[in-house]
Amino acid sequence: MKLILYSWNANNEQILMDNLIKPGFEVVCFRKECRHYTRDMELAMEMIPFIHAQGAEAVVSFNYFPIVSMICNTCQIPYYAWVYDCPHFTLYAKQIGLPCNHIGIFDREMVGQLEGYGVNTVHYVPLAVDTACFDAVVSQATPREKERFRCDISFVGSLYTDEHNYYDRLFGGKDAVKQEDMCERAVECSSRQGEQPAAGLAAIASGISRQCFAYHEDYLRQAVMDGNIDLRRIQVQMEKQGLMLGEDYYAKAEDILLAAVLEKKVTVEERRILLTQMADRFAISENSDGAGNRGSNFRLYTGSDTSALPELDFCNCGTVDYHTQMPLVFAGSRINLNISLRSIHSGIPLRVLDIMACGGFVLSNWQPEIAEYFEEGVEIVTFDSLDDCLAKTAYYLSHEEERRQIAANGKRKVQEKFSYQVGLERLFG
């Protein structure tokens, strides 16, 4: 089969292409920025003749582009989209139901939600990793390069201190609940089941803080369903700034607002609180002269602005290149943290698989599919509260052989169960 890979500079596109070629697909890249997900006619006018000229039998891409779906439907060829973002709001585009679509989604709960909308073009496809690709990067690195990224604990990811933190963007002024108050509520992690709901933003902030570090219950959605949280104020503010999905999309407002605003804010608070605790406890080690070594034990690799968070700013080592540096971080860190986006309700984030593929030890928040695919304490270690995370960090820093064995077992599991061969069979099956 001759495929066109629609390229939009996703990190793993070359790896995807290489793994498509292995079983015998003929693959040609089509590269052009998508300027509008549903109405980019310039993209369509270039891609349609390209498909015909190449004699392509299908198009494949990471993530789902409705305009590409429309193009494939016009050309009467299949479109295979492998989604690794969640939320991925283009999945709510009206074109999702086009018969050309074969959309693989890594979060089983998201698949169920779309099926509940009546969508029959999606199916469950966990993400994949190419361990050989990462092994090559680590094995070819010089001792000096490896030493540069060696540390006790690391986290690679965003803190969402930018415009994508919609909650603070909308309510960051006088109406917002103070961050210190949010922190206190989240660290307490109290269940407060019998309390009467507060009004307005106070009720929303209370729901956010209750959800922080609570992984087995969806308190936010339940509060919305019960009427204890009213999303109308958020929706009005989102609409004023043009942040709601337009007429090309069909999703319920509460699904968008929960994922884009409230669950994102939970992620912001969890990462800020947990990483600050890590920095406080583990960031500085002292040499024989008593001088602190900057970020010697805990390192944060992020492009987020941490200037307002001095404990984290101290440990911020900036971004790392996905292909050439990230594998050295994961291989060189004794403990690699995963703090999932809370809009990923069940799925295994790519970060977890990437860490394991590099031979790294993963300490992750609990997720249903992590618990389903990996044996706790054998292939991965998970936490279900802030205190649990801190305690397990301290434990595995002092149990080196046990930590190494878990990392080795995790790598073996992803080689067997999360290879591109397995993933592509699921996508094209």
Side-chain angles (χ1 to χ4, degrees):
M1 180 185 289
K2 188 169 187 178
L3 301 176
I4 288 177
L5 172 64
Y6 173 61
S7 172
W8 54 277
N9 294 322
N11 279 328
N12 282 338
E13 282 176 354
Q14 186 59 52
I15 296 174
L16 175 60
M17 175 177 274
D18 292 343
N19 281 278
L20 284 167
I21 292 171
K22 286 177 184 178
F25 288 110
E26 184 180 352
V27 186
V28 179
C29 267
F30 176 85
R31 293 185 176 89
K32 185 173 178 63
E33 180 184 358
C34 180
R35 297 182 181 276
H36 194 289
Y37 288 123
T38 60
R39 303 185 184 188
D40 191 341
M41 290 302 104
E42 184 178 329
L43 180 83
M45 293 298 289
E46 290 190 27
M47 192 170 188
I48 289 172
F50 186 82
I51 288 172
H52 290 313
Q54 293 293 330
E57 299 170 76
V59 173
V60 63
S61 72
F62 274 128
N63 284 347
Y64 172 67
F65 293 81
I67 186 65
V68 176
S69 174
M70 295 166 68
I71 291 166
C72 290
N73 198 58
T74 298
C75 296
Q76 297 185 324
I77 61 173
Y79 174 37
Y80 296 93
W82 199 351
V83 176
Y84 64 70
D85 283 335
C86 190
H88 187 52
F89 292 121
T90 59
L91 292 170
Y92 295 114
K94 294 176 181 177
Q95 293 81 7
I96 192 76
L98 290 175
C100 64
N101 289 333
H102 302 268
I103 303 170
I105 300 172
F106 79 101
D107 186 271
R108 187 182 282 124
E109 188 169 319
M110 184 66 185
V111 174
Q113 184 190 96
L114 289 167
E115 290 176 340
Y117 277 111
V119 176
N120 62 6
T121 56
V122 299
H123 61 290
Y124 173 60
V125 180
L127 298 174
V129 285
D130 189 328
T131 54
C133 181
F134 289 139
D135 280 344
V137 174
V138 175
S139 64
Q140 293 170 15
T142 66
R144 184 174 181 178
E145 287 172 327
K146 292 178 181 179
E147 186 61 33
R148 175 186 170 192
F149 294 104
R150 189 164 286 126
C151 67
D152 286 341
I153 310 156
S154 71
F155 175 74
V156 180
S158 177
L159 303 187
Y160 300 106
T161 53
D162 58 11
E163 69 275 10
H164 297 295
N165 179 359
Y166 294 125
Y167 184 92
D168 289 351
R169 177 173 170 180
L170 297 174
F171 304 112
K174 61 181 180 180
D175 292 332
V177 176
K178 290 182 179 179
Q179 193 177 67
E180 292 81 1
D181 294 339
M182 183 82 76
C183 180
E184 284 184 20
R185 293 193 187 108
V187 174
E188 287 170 5
C189 295
S190 59
S191 57
R192 299 197 294 273
Q193 300 251 349
E195 290 187 8
Q196 294 297 316
L201 281 179
I204 294 170
S206 178
I208 290 170
S209 64
R210 188 183 187 198
Q211 191 66 66
C212 282
F213 303 107
Y215 302 107
H216 298 272
E217 301 291 340
D218 194 341
Y219 293 118
L220 280 174
R221 183 171 290 276
Q222 192 60 50
V224 171
M225 292 174 59
D226 292 344
N228 294 334
I229 288 180
D230 187 347
L231 295 176
R232 285 177 295 180
R233 184 174 183 181
I234 296 178
Q235 185 173 349
V236 168
Q237 293 295 327
M238 290 282 281
E239 287 172 347
K240 283 181 178 178
Q241 298 202 30
L243 297 173
M244 291 297 289
L245 298 179
E247 61 183 15
D248 293 343
Y249 299 82
Y250 62 85
K252 298 175 184 176
E254 59 262 32
D255 288 336
I256 303 303
L257 295 170
L258 276 165
V261 182
L262 301 189
E263 290 171 343
K264 177 64 72 65
K265 179 61 174 175
V266 173
T267 305
V268 169
E269 292 306 312
E270 284 184 341
R271 291 187 179 184
R272 178 180 63 82
I273 293 165
L274 192 155
L275 296 175
T276 299
Q277 291 280 330
M278 287 286 172
D280 284 344
R281 297 187 182 213
F282 302 108
I284 303 173
S285 65
E286 293 189 350
N287 60 27
S288 58
D289 298 324
N293 295 317
R294 185 182 187 278
S296 54
N297 283 329
F298 169 69
R299 292 182 184 175
L300 172 62
Y301 294 95
T302 184
S304 299
D305 181 7
T306 54
S307 58
L309 303 166
E311 301 96 330
L312 297 183
D313 202 46
F314 182 80
C315 307
N316 188 353
C317 300
T319 58
V320 285
D321 180 79
Y322 182 87
H323 299 284
T324 62
Q325 296 175 318
M326 185 196 73
L328 301 180
V329 173
F330 291 159
S333 301
R334 295 172 67 200
I335 293 177
N336 293 279
L337 296 172
N338 174 63
I339 311 167
S340 300
L341 270 168
R342 294 310 296 267
S343 49
I344 303 174
H345 289 172
S346 66
I348 304 171
L350 184 59
R351 182 190 294 106
V352 170
L353 302 180
D354 283 346
I355 293 168
M356 289 183 171
C358 297
F361 173 92
V362 181
L363 177 59
S364 171
N365 59 276
W366 184 88
Q367 290 275 108
E369 291 176 46
I370 288 178
E372 175 184 342
Y373 282 96
F374 297 101
E375 188 173 351
E376 174 68 27
V378 176
E379 298 161 333
I380 196 171
V381 176
T382 61
F383 58 87
D384 55 17
S385 70
L386 176 62
D387 287 343
D388 190 33
C389 179
L390 296 171
K392 285 176 176 174
T393 299
Y395 176 86
Y396 284 101
L397 286 178
S398 62
H399 290 76
E400 186 70 11
E401 187 53 41
E402 188 176 352
R403 182 194 64 78
R404 287 179 181 271
Q405 187 60 57
I406 291 170
N409 294 341
K411 182 174 182 178
R412 198 155 41 241
K413 172 60 72 71
V414 297
Q415 285 175 316
E416 295 171 0
K417 302 296 185 182
F418 295 91
S419 68
Y420 269 86
Q421 178 184 352
V422 171
L424 289 172
E425 287 174 358
R426 288 168 169 161
L427 182 65
F428 287 90

